[in-house]
Amino acid sequence: MTLRTLLEEIRRDGVRDERVLEALARVPRERFVPSSHRGLAHGNHPLPIACEQTISQPTIVAMMTELAELQPGDRVLEVGTGSGYQTAVLAEMLGLGAAQDETVEDAGSELVSLEILPELASGAGTLLKELGYRGLDLRLADGHRGCPERAPFDAIVVTAAPARLPMALADQLAERGRLVIPVGVEHQELLVITKIDGATRERRVIPVRFVPMTGES
């Protein structure tokens, strides 16, 4: 499958935000997978990475990014850096990519990404730096706790599934902030939690299958 074919398939799957599709087009997914799987990088399916983790299906990455409703100047938290692929897509949306001018970055966009596994954190950090992403705050940390010292966040995107919603993450949302998160064990659902007038509202989107979120339960 070519990149163009992949993007067309993602459109058919329901992703309509052209900014999201353009962000995916700018991120070289083949750089974020093991060399043995690079020929499959433009396939619309998850692929294995180190530490028995996965890089998500491009449609799911695009959908979660669209649901986060990112705007220039947003402060964003990602929980689960993994390979760094979703991180790169979020960075592109926020104007933190090497190929973009600095007008969006000047708006004050911030991206914090947490990873609990040292091997993944190190590898993603090295690759993202090589690809020219700038202004990223990558941390080795337990994602259940979020990043309270950098809160509140306009959007939080979680790339692994906790058994139940970590309330620390919901508490770190700004007013009208969006938390996009898969939740569940055997049966997982993608949820969008929105903070309105200080209270959270939950929307169930689709059934999903993510690797379990590790760390504090």
Side-chain angles (χ1 to χ4, degrees):
M1 181 181 292
T2 65
L3 175 60
R4 180 177 178 178
T5 304
L6 172 61
L7 294 175
E8 289 173 352
E9 185 169 311
I10 292 171
R11 282 192 185 91
R12 289 196 298 271
D13 287 340
V15 175
R16 296 289 182 260
D17 191 333
E18 287 298 323
R19 297 182 310 128
V20 173
L21 296 168
E22 290 167 5
L24 260 73
R26 289 194 295 269
V27 177
R29 190 171 187 249
E30 66 275 7
R31 294 291 303 276
F32 294 88
V33 302
S35 57
S36 58
H37 288 79
R38 284 184 180 168
L40 303 173
H42 289 154
N44 197 8
H45 43 70
L47 291 171
I49 59 173
C51 303
E52 300 183 346
Q53 303 298 298
T54 60
I55 180 173
S56 294
Q57 177 186 8
T59 284
I60 294 296
V61 171
M63 181 180 297
M64 293 178 72
T65 304
E66 184 174 60
L67 290 168
E69 299 180 20
L70 302 184
Q71 298 298 325
D74 277 354
R75 177 178 293 175
V76 178
L77 174 65
E78 179 191 33
V79 176
T81 313
S83 68
Y85 178 62
Q86 175 77 80
T87 318
V89 174
L90 297 175
E92 293 286 349
M93 293 290 294
L94 294 172
L96 303 176
Q100 300 174 27
D101 62 41
E102 297 184 358
T103 56
V104 179
E105 186 181 18
D106 289 344
S109 302
E110 299 180 24
L111 177 56
V112 181
S113 185
L114 311 180
E115 176 55 56
I116 197 171
L117 299 173
E119 180 180 345
L120 292 182
S122 175
T126 298
L127 178 54
L128 290 165
K129 184 176 181 179
E130 287 177 359
L131 293 174
Y133 290 97
R134 60 187 188 275
L136 309 184
D137 185 352
L138 307 180
R139 302 187 179 197
L140 185 64
D142 185 338
H144 284 88
R145 303 167 191 169
C147 190
E149 65 273 22
R150 296 291 300 275
F153 295 99
D154 300 294
I156 301 175
V157 176
V158 182
T159 64
R164 59 191 64 83
L165 178 67
M167 291 312 300
L169 296 181
D171 291 343
Q172 290 171 32
L173 285 175
E175 178 65 19
R176 297 197 172 275
R178 290 80 52 198
L179 166 59
V180 183
I181 181 170
V183 176
V185 182
E186 292 184 4
H187 303 286
Q188 299 175 3
E189 285 190 286
L190 185 63
L191 309 180
V192 178
I193 310 297
T194 307
K195 182 173 284 188
I196 304 292
D197 295 329
T200 56
R201 300 181 182 179
E202 176 182 299
R203 175 161 66 97
R204 298 172 183 267
V205 184
I206 57 169
V208 289
R209 173 57 60 186
F210 278 77
V211 295
M213 188 173 174
T214 58
E216 179 183 315
S217 62

